[in-house]
Amino acid sequence: MRKLLPLALLTLTACAPKTDTETQPTQEINYNVDRFADIEVLRYAVPGFEDLSLEQKQLIYYLTEAAISGRDIIWDQNCSYNLPIRDMLEAVYTNYSDDKESEEWKAFEKYLKQVEFANGIHHHYSMDKFKPEFSQEFLANQVSKLPADLKPANAEELYSVIFDPTVLPKRVNQADGVDLISTSACNLYGGGITQKEVEDYYAGIKNPKDETPVSYGLNSRLVKNPDGSISEEVYKIDGLYGDKISRIVDNLKKASEFAENATQKSVIDKLIEFYTTGSLKAFDDYSIAWVGDTDSRIDFINGFIESYGDPLGMTGSFESIVNFKDLGASHRTEVVAGNAQWFEDNSPVDPNFRKPEVKGVTAKVITAAILAGDAYPATPIGINLPNANWIRAAHGSKSVTIENITKAYDEAAKGNGFAEEFVIDDSTRSLMEKYGFMTDNLHTDLHECLGHASGRLMPGVDPDALKAHGSTLEEARADLFALYYLADPKLLELGLLDNPEAYKAEYYKYMLNGLMTQLMRIEPGKDVEEAHMRNRQLISAWALEKGKADNVAELVKRDGKTYLQINDYEALRGLFGQLLSEIQRIKSTGDYEAGRKLVEAYAVKVDPELHKEVLDRYATLNIAPYKGFVNPVYTKITDADGNVTDITVDYTEEYLPQVLRYSQQY
Ligand code: ZN
């Protein structure tokens, strides 16, 4: 599971904890790289890389190569037309010799940047297909001038996918009451298979009595054959995406030679086995080994991990993040994780649904060295893995906060005017300035290392019982756990906060975001779709409504503008606890109907008037609602005999040059 950036970070650096003990990069870094459509591309620093040993640097080097090698997998998973369209667009872009001041060219360049950012033709967050602002004639004319070997054979078909708004309009459809497979453009199912056929297939191979089930469908494309039978095309070295996977494996083998210890080596070797055999049992073995590796400084994820890209939440999108532990900042999360049992025992959840023994919850703050696949360019700020419930219960999970990424967001957001426009008054603003960054980091820690790890399913409850609403409710559960405990005196006792009022900064920001400011990410007339956004609106709208009688919080009008006013923070905490208890009950008992009702009632619909107001006010600030990152470039330095003497890191590559280079080299 992943934690995404809650909103364009406020300017909250006044009292940010200084946690970095590592060497800052010596190069001057330009954090703001590119700005187009609703996107800003940033750059992140990798403090501490220079201090690593040559072996560690080489380990990172080969893991980053393995990461980027899977790039085309996510493109193809997102939509079967993505790669041929990318080839065509990039060929036109690099061969263009006409007027670069023309409106059509500028629109074309913008579209290319959007597609590169989303790893395909659908928006990475809204899942809607991009609307090109150049004409089909312009593109066709440019394609006609391409050298013969660069001309696509099926250009007409590609044009209709790009320009016809009725063709493949949505990557992942979550709308209630329609066939989610046939209405989603993603390429995880094929041959005209229906949702019912997919569900029947997995119901047929799942054993409800199996207490250690593999993650069915995680690494395969399910297809209906011409004779009507159903089969899985497995992602493996001699299967689907075999050429990419074999390059990943080659680099993993080289990385394995530089493993820091035997445990880490066995993690890498088990991942190689998974990629070689495609066996989901091998993936579980790898996951268990990975959870057990808590001593290595360097860590990575590489594989088919999160299932947000699948309307049925089964198949994992290719993703990789290579990282190393930020030793100074990790102290904070170690304190949180070290007290996991106390938090579990004191939660407002029905004791039957709590975990009697919370095992192996580890948490650390990491420095990302590379982002790849589904985590590039848009990336999460925290991760909690593995996703398999029984592995989490029996072996624990690893939870990380990626603090060089949150720092880059914070750097880029300085002075953007957001707080002045949306926060109700000076006193709230100054509380947020003082404690916002700190409580936001803590919220991430609590969400990832306690929230997702807490609670248990009742015996016999299918972990997928909440179906299409599972992700939203799971994120809500983790967020509520974090919100509830942010206000707990325990955090002061543990030395994680120094002011009993500090939590109010995060409460205000969370409610403001869930009720109003996240709407800036949605087009007028559209519903809330994405699981994290649904979860935030669910929590905020539910608390607002349930607290109405006691005037806990309200939306007030001042000079024609809507503001959130929180009147009783303590009562708000009580409401968060109440909802946490209910959502844990829903998850523990697999109460699909109650979960569906909560989501449908609070998480989906948008007040069109308030939505318009937020968009209008937000537009005056000119802040990009979505952000992502270019990667640093690592280079091997060798001596005259070919021995590697160093790995250098460079922060100068720009956005389009980077993605175009990736397309060429990987
Ligand atoms: Zn989460």
Side-chain angles (χ1 to χ4, degrees):
M1 279 153 278
R2 55 167 56 160
K3 169 101 191 284
L4 300 175
L5 188 70
L7 66 162
L9 274 177
L10 306 175
T11 50
L12 302 167
T13 45
C15 202
K18 187 72 193 118
T19 46
D20 262 340
T21 51
E22 283 83 11
T23 315
Q24 293 295 325
T26 44
Q27 304 161 50
E28 190 77 20
I29 293 177
N30 166 25
Y31 285 95
N32 303 76
V33 176
D34 205 347
R35 175 79 173 85
F36 51 89
D38 54 357
I39 301 291
E40 182 170 18
V41 181
L42 308 173
R43 190 186 305 281
Y44 61 95
V46 190
F49 181 80
E50 274 111 348
D51 300 337
L52 298 172
S53 71
L54 181 58
E55 281 68 33
Q56 289 174 318
K57 287 180 183 174
Q58 290 181 88
L59 173 60
I60 288 181
Y61 178 83
Y62 289 113
L63 290 174
T64 63
E65 286 293 308
I68 306 170
S69 297
R71 179 170 183 249
D72 286 358
I73 298 175
I74 183 67
W75 280 75
D76 191 67
Q77 284 183 306
N78 284 346
C79 179
S80 64
Y81 288 98
N82 281 338
L83 287 171
I85 287 177
R86 186 183 82 188
D87 288 345
M88 178 172 72
L89 296 176
E90 290 183 351
V92 167
Y93 187 79
T94 49
N95 288 278
Y96 185 80
S97 57
D98 292 347
D99 178 12
K100 291 203 170 173
E101 292 305 312
S102 78
E103 291 307 313
E104 296 247 68
W105 167 253
K106 286 180 188 164
F108 175 79
E109 188 178 52
K110 174 178 157 187
Y111 179 76
L112 175 64
K113 287 179 176 183
Q114 288 179 293
V115 171
E116 298 282 1
F117 191 89
N119 297 311
I121 57 174
H122 300 89
H123 193 280
H124 73 288
Y125 208 82
S126 74
M127 305 285 167
D128 292 326
K129 198 167 72 171
F130 295 120
K131 294 183 188 77
E133 291 162 8
F134 54 92
S135 65
Q136 182 169 332
E137 292 66 42
F138 171 83
L139 181 59
N141 182 33
Q142 293 302 326
V143 169
S144 73
K145 296 180 194 169
L146 288 176
D149 60 324
L150 294 178
K151 277 193 186 122
N154 56 341
E156 289 303 322
E157 192 181 355
L158 300 184
Y159 298 154
S160 96
V161 173
I162 293 173
F163 292 99
D164 183 342
T166 65
V167 176
L168 302 171
K170 194 143 200 110
R171 195 180 100 204
V172 182
N173 185 25
Q174 306 248 269
D176 223 24
V178 293
D179 186 297
L180 300 181
I181 304 289
S182 62
T183 54
S184 295
C186 64
N187 186 26
L188 308 174
Y189 302 92
I193 197 167
T194 66
Q195 182 178 350
K196 170 126 195 350
E197 286 166 330
V198 174
E199 287 168 353
D200 288 349
Y201 173 82
Y202 285 113
I205 59 172
K206 275 186 188 176
N207 172 4
K209 293 205 179 84
D210 186 355
E211 285 174 358
T212 59
V214 297
S215 302
Y216 290 99
L218 188 73
N219 67 336
S220 65
R221 182 172 182 268
L222 199 64
V223 293
K224 182 151 80 175
N225 303 308
D227 67 0
S229 63
I230 307 283
S231 55
E232 287 186 63
E233 297 173 352
V234 178
Y235 307 159
K236 58 175 177 164
I237 214 162
D238 59 351
L240 194 52
Y241 307 132
D243 55 336
K244 301 299 170 192
I245 290 172
S246 96
R247 187 156 167 188
I248 293 171
V249 167
D250 286 346
N251 282 293
L252 289 175
K253 283 180 177 162
K254 288 181 194 149
S256 169
E257 292 170 26
F258 296 99
E260 294 173 274
N261 50 58
T263 309
Q264 188 178 54
K265 187 171 187 334
S266 98
V267 170
I268 299 172
D269 292 346
K270 285 185 158 75
L271 182 60
I272 292 171
E273 190 192 333
F274 165 64
Y275 276 133
T276 307
T277 62
S279 152
L280 288 168
K281 171 78 174 58
F283 185 72
D284 285 350
D285 291 344
Y286 153 75
S287 297
I288 292 165
W290 179 79
V291 166
D293 180 14
T294 51
D295 294 334
S296 305
R297 176 87 191 271
I298 292 158
D299 203 356
F300 70 104
I301 53 171
N302 183 310
F304 309 104
I305 310 290
E306 306 286 1
S307 55
Y308 303 108
D310 178 353
L312 301 184
M314 302 188 74
T315 303
S317 300
F318 176 81
E319 168 181 9
S320 185
I321 297 178
V322 181
N323 63 81
F324 56 93
K325 190 169 176 180
D326 177 340
L327 300 175
S330 289
H331 174 71
R332 193 184 69 226
T333 52
E334 280 158 12
V335 170
V336 168
N339 288 276
Q341 193 66 51
W342 184 91
F343 287 102
E344 185 75 1
D345 293 346
N346 289 276
S347 92
V349 160
D350 182 327
N352 285 320
F353 305 144
R354 292 185 203 144
K355 251 190 204 126
E357 218 185 315
V358 187
K359 281 185 198 165
V361 179
T362 65
K364 58 182 175 177
V365 176
I366 60 170
T367 302
I370 208 87
L371 310 168
D374 204 27
Y376 170 89
T379 195
I381 56 169
I383 312 166
N384 180 296
L385 292 171
N387 283 329
N389 275 303
W390 72 266
I391 298 180
R392 301 166 69 82
H395 302 275
S397 61
K398 270 203 269 194
S399 175
V400 300
T401 301
I402 314 176
E403 214 145 288
N404 63 327
I405 296 296
T406 56
K407 271 187 191 160
Y409 279 126
D410 203 56
E411 283 291 321
K414 280 179 181 165
N416 64 14
F418 181 91
E420 287 71 18
E421 179 60 44
F422 286 105
V423 177
I424 188 163
D425 52 31
D426 284 342
S427 64
T428 309
R429 235 179 340 259
S430 76
L431 194 70
M432 292 168 80
E433 270 167 28
K434 195 154 180 207
Y435 289 105
F437 190 77
M438 191 186 287
T439 53
D440 213 37
N441 283 335
L442 260 178
H443 183 273
T444 306
D445 301 338
L446 293 165
H447 173 113
E448 295 295 341
C449 86
L450 300 182
H452 283 307
S454 78
R456 62 168 169 178
L457 299 182
M458 292 294 95
V461 170
D462 179 354
D464 300 325
L466 304 178
K467 294 181 210 166
H469 302 305
S471 299
T472 298
L473 293 165
E474 176 56 26
E475 293 309 319
R477 197 174 74 88
D479 264 356
L480 286 162
F481 199 95
L483 288 166
Y484 179 79
Y485 276 117
L486 261 185
D488 201 287
K490 185 76 176 177
L491 298 191
L492 297 161
E493 190 192 300
L494 294 173
L496 297 169
L497 289 174
D498 61 6
N499 183 336
E501 311 279 294
Y503 77 93
K504 295 179 180 175
E506 181 69 13
Y507 274 30
Y508 190 88
K509 181 173 155 183
Y510 193 94
M511 291 286 288
L512 174 66
N513 188 35
L515 292 168
M516 292 177 54
T517 48
Q518 73 168 1
L519 296 175
M520 77 208 180
R521 294 181 162 192
I522 297 175
E523 282 178 44
K526 293 260 163 67
D527 288 341
V528 183
E529 306 262 1
E530 196 275 334
H532 293 80
M533 288 181 73
R534 283 189 167 184
N535 131 53
R536 291 183 214 120
Q537 179 170 309
L538 195 174
I539 292 172
S540 309
W542 186 93
L544 187 73
E545 188 190 290
K546 298 294 170 188
K548 210 167 227 157
D550 299 324
N551 201 22
V552 174
E554 57 190 320
L555 294 176
V556 298
K557 285 266 186 193
R558 290 195 184 162
D559 304 328
K561 291 180 177 178
T562 310
Y563 291 91
L564 167 69
Q565 181 168 317
I566 298 183
N567 301 309
D568 188 342
Y569 280 91
E570 258 173 70
L572 185 55
R573 187 196 183 204
L575 290 169
F576 288 153
Q578 221 178 302
L579 186 57
L580 171 60
S581 169
E582 169 61 3
I583 291 183
Q584 182 61 57
R585 184 198 66 76
I586 289 170
K587 167 137 183 165
S588 290
T589 60
D591 188 346
Y592 172 79
E593 211 30 49
R596 187 190 66 80
K597 278 189 185 142
L598 262 186
V599 172
E600 295 293 329
Y602 297 99
V604 182
K605 291 292 167 204
V606 176
D607 170 2
E609 223 168 283
L610 182 61
H611 189 187
K612 182 177 186 310
E613 182 193 321
V614 169
L615 290 176
D616 290 347
R617 287 165 69 184
Y618 197 76
T620 64
L621 300 175
N622 193 30
I623 301 170
Y626 302 98
K627 295 180 172 65
F629 295 87
V630 291
N631 281 317
V633 181
Y634 298 91
T635 307
K636 254 195 296 195
I637 308 294
T638 49
D639 64 16
D641 302 326
N643 302 309
V644 176
T645 56
D646 198 8
I647 306 285
T648 60
V649 53
D650 179 87
Y651 300 104
T652 55
E653 192 167 34
E654 297 297 323
Y655 170 58
L656 267 189
Q658 177 159 96
V659 292
L660 293 171
R661 179 174 66 83
Y662 282 175
S663 296
Q664 286 300 311
Q665 294 181 357
Y666 300 92

